[in-house]
């Protein structure tokens, strides 16, 4: 990708988004998908497992950036300019929620909305879509107790530093202790 001209990547972005959606379907294929801890997010590659959302994130960003460049004149003036890419984003979010992967779904939705905002989407259109998206994701988070618990754990990781807040407290300790340059591998 580094060697490829940006125009070529931009032209291919519509195919890349379909590739991203296809990747999100692959774990559902029997024998290819791997279920770990109740989640169907990985595909078996023989020697290792691959979490498809990692490639999907990159492909979604490329698609959204390419779309925003191609439709820069429509974004500030037409609903269609916003709804088309959000339709693709919604498909990806629905596929991620079915795995279930709420965190990645939220991230992809937030990045897509952020790119539309930066590309100049009309503030009134953007605000309506953002309110709908935030409300929907909040509702989905409340439906599952573990999602709400993870969110509360994120807000105050020190309340339960050995369970719900473990990852965040360890990250804070690592950054705090390592400062700008770290303390070395294993330390």
């Amino acid at each position: 990708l580094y060697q490829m001209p940006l125009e070529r990547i931009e032209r291919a972005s519509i195919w890349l988004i379909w590739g991203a959606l296809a990747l999100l379907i692959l774990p559902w294929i029997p024998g290819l998908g791997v279920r770990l801890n109740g989640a169907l997010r990985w595909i078996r590659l023989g020697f290792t497992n691959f979490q498809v959302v990692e490639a999907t994130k990159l492909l979604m960003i490329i698609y959204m950036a390419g779309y925003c460049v191609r439709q820069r004149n429509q974004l500030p003036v037409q609903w269609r300019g916003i709804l088309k890419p959000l339709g693709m984003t919604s498909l990806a979010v629905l596929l991620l929620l079915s795995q279930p992967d709420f965190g990645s779904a939220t991230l992809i939705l937030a990045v897509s909305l952020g790119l539309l905002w930066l590309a100049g989407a009309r503030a009134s259109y953007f605000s309506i879509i953002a309110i709908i998206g935030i409300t929907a994701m909040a509702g989905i988070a409340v439906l599952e107790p573990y999602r709400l618990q993870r969110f509360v754990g994120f807000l105050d990781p020190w309340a339960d530093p050995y369970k719900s807040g473990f990852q965040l407290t360890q990250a804070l300790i690592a950054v705090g202790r390592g400062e700008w340059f770290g303390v070395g591998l294993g330390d």
Side-chain angles (χ1 to χ4, degrees), residues 112-131:
S112 296
L113 288 173
L115 284 170
L116 288 172
W117 174 258
L118 290 173
R122 184 180 236 166
S124 59
Y125 297 166
F126 179 81
S127 299
I128 292 168
I129 298 294
I131 289 169

Side-chain angles (χ1 to χ4, degrees), residues 58-128:
L58 176 63
L59 296 175
M60 286 292 298
I61 290 170
I62 291 171
Y63 166 74
M64 288 298 293
Y67 181 86
C68 290
V69 167
R70 286 189 310 275
Q71 304 298 326
R72 64 182 161 268
N73 296 329
Q74 281 189 0
L75 285 174
V77 295
Q78 293 183 355
W79 269 106
R80 191 178 75 201
I82 294 177
L83 294 179
K84 184 177 177 185
L86 286 181
M88 298 302 254
T89 300
S90 298
L91 284 173
V93 165
L94 289 173
L95 287 169
L96 284 166
L97 290 173
S98 70
Q99 291 181 356
D101 191 350
F102 182 76
S104 294
T106 304
L107 179 68
I108 285 178
L109 182 61
V111 167
S112 296
L113 288 173
L115 284 170
L116 288 172
W117 174 258
L118 290 173
R122 184 180 236 166
S124 59
Y125 297 166
F126 179 81
S127 299
I128 292 168

